Amino acid sequence: MRNTKARRDILGILEEYDYPLNAEQIYEKLNEDYDKSTIYRNLKNYESNGDIKSIVFSDKIKYFFKGKGHFHFIYCTECKKFERFDLCYSEQMSKYIKERLGFKVLTHTLYFEGICKECQKITEDGQYGHLNQ
Ligand SMILES: [Zn+2]
Ligand SMILES: [Zn+2]
Protein backbone atom coordinates (compact mmCIF):
# COMPACT_ATOMS: atom_id res chain seq x y z
CA MET A 1 0.00 0.00 0.00
CA ARG A 2 1.26 3.41 -0.92
CA ASN A 3 0.65 4.87 2.51
CA THR A 4 2.74 2.21 4.16
CA LYS A 5 5.54 2.85 1.72
CA ALA A 6 5.39 6.61 2.30
CA ARG A 7 5.56 6.01 6.01
CA ARG A 8 8.55 3.71 5.69
CA ASP A 9 10.32 6.12 3.37
CA ILE A 10 9.74 9.26 5.37
CA LEU A 11 10.54 7.75 8.75
CA GLY A 12 13.52 6.04 7.12
CA ILE A 13 14.96 9.39 6.04
CA LEU A 14 14.60 10.80 9.54
CA GLU A 15 16.26 7.74 11.01
CA GLU A 16 19.09 7.87 8.53
CA TYR A 17 19.93 11.52 9.13
CA ASP A 18 19.85 11.57 12.90
CA TYR A 19 19.29 15.32 13.02
CA PRO A 20 16.22 17.47 12.39
CA LEU A 21 15.03 18.02 8.83
CA ASN A 22 12.26 20.22 7.52
CA ALA A 23 9.56 19.00 5.12
CA GLU A 24 11.36 20.50 2.14
CA GLN A 25 14.60 18.71 2.99
CA ILE A 26 12.76 15.42 3.48
CA TYR A 27 11.09 15.91 0.12
CA GLU A 28 14.47 16.44 -1.56
CA LYS A 29 15.99 13.37 0.06
CA LEU A 30 13.18 11.00 -0.85
CA ASN A 31 13.91 8.87 -3.89
CA GLU A 32 10.27 8.42 -4.68
CA ASP A 33 8.45 11.40 -6.12
CA TYR A 34 5.88 12.04 -3.42
CA ASP A 35 3.45 14.85 -3.46
CA LYS A 36 4.51 17.60 -1.07
CA SER A 37 1.07 17.59 0.52
CA THR A 38 1.45 13.85 1.17
CA ILE A 39 4.67 14.52 3.00
CA TYR A 40 3.19 17.34 5.06
CA ARG A 41 0.13 15.30 5.92
CA ASN A 42 2.17 12.27 6.88
CA LEU A 43 4.58 14.28 9.02
CA LYS A 44 1.62 15.77 10.86
CA ASN A 45 0.23 12.29 11.51
CA TYR A 46 3.51 10.83 12.72
CA GLU A 47 3.91 13.75 15.02
CA SER A 48 0.51 13.37 16.61
CA ASN A 49 1.15 9.63 16.96
CA GLY A 50 4.37 10.41 18.78
CA ASP A 51 6.53 8.68 16.15
CA ILE A 52 8.49 11.85 15.58
CA LYS A 53 9.12 15.12 17.36
CA SER A 54 9.39 18.58 15.94
CA ILE A 55 10.93 21.93 16.74
CA VAL A 56 10.45 25.40 15.40
CA PHE A 57 13.26 27.90 15.61
CA SER A 58 13.10 31.65 15.23
CA ASP A 59 13.03 31.29 11.44
CA LYS A 60 9.56 29.72 11.87
CA ILE A 61 10.47 26.60 9.90
CA LYS A 62 9.37 23.34 11.46
CA TYR A 63 12.00 20.62 11.75
CA PHE A 64 11.26 16.98 12.42
CA PHE A 65 13.39 14.33 14.02
CA LYS A 66 13.11 10.79 15.19
CA GLY A 67 14.79 8.58 17.72
CA LYS A 68 14.75 7.52 21.31
CA GLY A 69 16.68 8.96 24.18
CA HIS A 70 17.86 12.49 24.73
CA PHE A 71 18.93 14.95 22.10
CA HIS A 72 21.18 17.96 22.20
CA PHE A 73 21.18 20.10 19.11
CA ILE A 74 22.67 23.37 18.09
CA TYR A 75 21.27 25.18 15.11
CA CYS A 76 22.95 27.78 12.92
CA THR A 77 20.45 30.50 12.10
CA GLU A 78 22.55 31.63 9.13
CA CYS A 79 23.17 28.44 7.14
CA LYS A 80 20.32 26.45 8.78
CA LYS A 81 22.52 23.56 9.73
CA PHE A 82 22.18 21.35 12.78
CA GLU A 83 24.81 19.72 14.86
CA ARG A 84 24.13 17.12 17.43
CA PHE A 85 26.40 16.91 20.44
CA ASP A 86 26.81 14.45 23.27
CA LEU A 87 27.25 16.66 26.29
CA CYS A 88 24.22 16.44 28.55
CA TYR A 89 22.78 19.06 30.86
CA SER A 90 24.44 19.79 34.14
CA GLU A 91 24.17 18.14 37.51
CA GLN A 92 23.02 21.49 38.84
CA MET A 93 20.03 21.60 36.49
CA SER A 94 19.20 17.99 37.20
CA LYS A 95 19.24 18.71 40.94
CA TYR A 96 17.09 21.77 40.49
CA ILE A 97 14.44 19.89 38.53
CA LYS A 98 14.39 17.08 41.05
CA GLU A 99 14.51 19.07 44.27
CA ARG A 100 12.88 22.38 43.47
CA LEU A 101 10.35 21.33 40.87
CA GLY A 102 9.85 17.83 42.19
CA PHE A 103 9.96 16.24 38.76
CA LYS A 104 11.31 12.91 37.72
CA VAL A 105 12.67 13.53 34.24
CA LEU A 106 11.90 10.85 31.64
CA THR A 107 13.52 12.39 28.62
CA HIS A 108 14.75 15.74 27.38
CA THR A 109 15.77 17.57 24.28
CA LEU A 110 18.04 20.60 24.33
CA TYR A 111 18.20 23.11 21.51
CA PHE A 112 20.55 25.96 21.08
CA GLU A 113 20.47 28.57 18.38
CA GLY A 114 23.58 30.33 17.21
CA ILE A 115 26.03 30.98 14.42
CA CYS A 116 28.39 28.23 13.35
CA LYS A 117 32.14 28.51 12.90
CA GLU A 118 31.95 28.83 9.11
CA CYS A 119 29.30 31.51 9.26
CA GLN A 120 31.28 33.45 11.82
CA LYS A 121 34.14 33.52 9.32
CA ILE A 122 31.83 35.01 6.72
CA THR A 123 31.14 37.71 9.27
CA GLU A 124 34.70 38.91 9.07
CA ASP A 125 34.21 39.66 5.38
CA GLY A 126 31.21 41.74 6.36
CA GLN A 127 28.64 39.53 4.73
CA TYR A 128 26.64 39.14 7.89
CA GLY A 129 27.22 42.65 9.09
CA HIS A 130 24.83 42.54 11.99
CA LEU A 131 27.18 40.23 13.82
CA ASN A 132 29.81 42.91 14.08
CA GLN A 133 27.77 45.00 16.43
ZN1 LIG B 1 26.25 28.39 9.73
ZN1 LIG C 1 21.01 14.65 27.63
Side-chain angles (χ1 to χ4, degrees), residues 2 5 9 27 30-34:
R2 189 163 168 83
K5 183 164 170 22
D9 287 352
Y27 173 78
L30 283 166
N31 293 323
E32 192 102 359
D33 193 18
Y34 288 110

Side-chain angles (χ1 to χ4, degrees), residues 27-90:
Y27 173 78
E28 282 165 15
K29 291 179 195 312
L30 283 166
N31 293 323
E32 192 102 359
D33 193 18
Y34 288 110
D35 208 61
K36 274 191 194 173
S37 63
T38 307
I39 295 169
Y40 279 98
R41 194 183 57 244
N42 277 296
L43 286 169
K44 208 175 157 191
N45 288 344
Y46 308 153
E47 196 185 359
S48 57
N49 292 343
D51 293 330
I52 57 173
K53 294 181 188 175
S54 77
I55 24 157
V56 180
F57 281 110
S58 50
D59 58 15
K60 305 280 197 298
I61 302 168
K62 199 166 189 179
Y63 292 88
F64 301 90
F65 64 100
K66 192 182 183 309
K68 288 197 172 76
H70 42 134
F71 296 93
H72 320 105
F73 298 116
I74 187 145
Y75 177 66
C76 177
T77 54
E78 296 293 348
C79 67
K80 320 286 183 199
K81 125 182 129 189
F82 279 99
E83 292 211 20
R84 194 171 163 178
F85 60 92
D86 288 330
L87 185 70
C88 206
Y89 67 84
S90 68

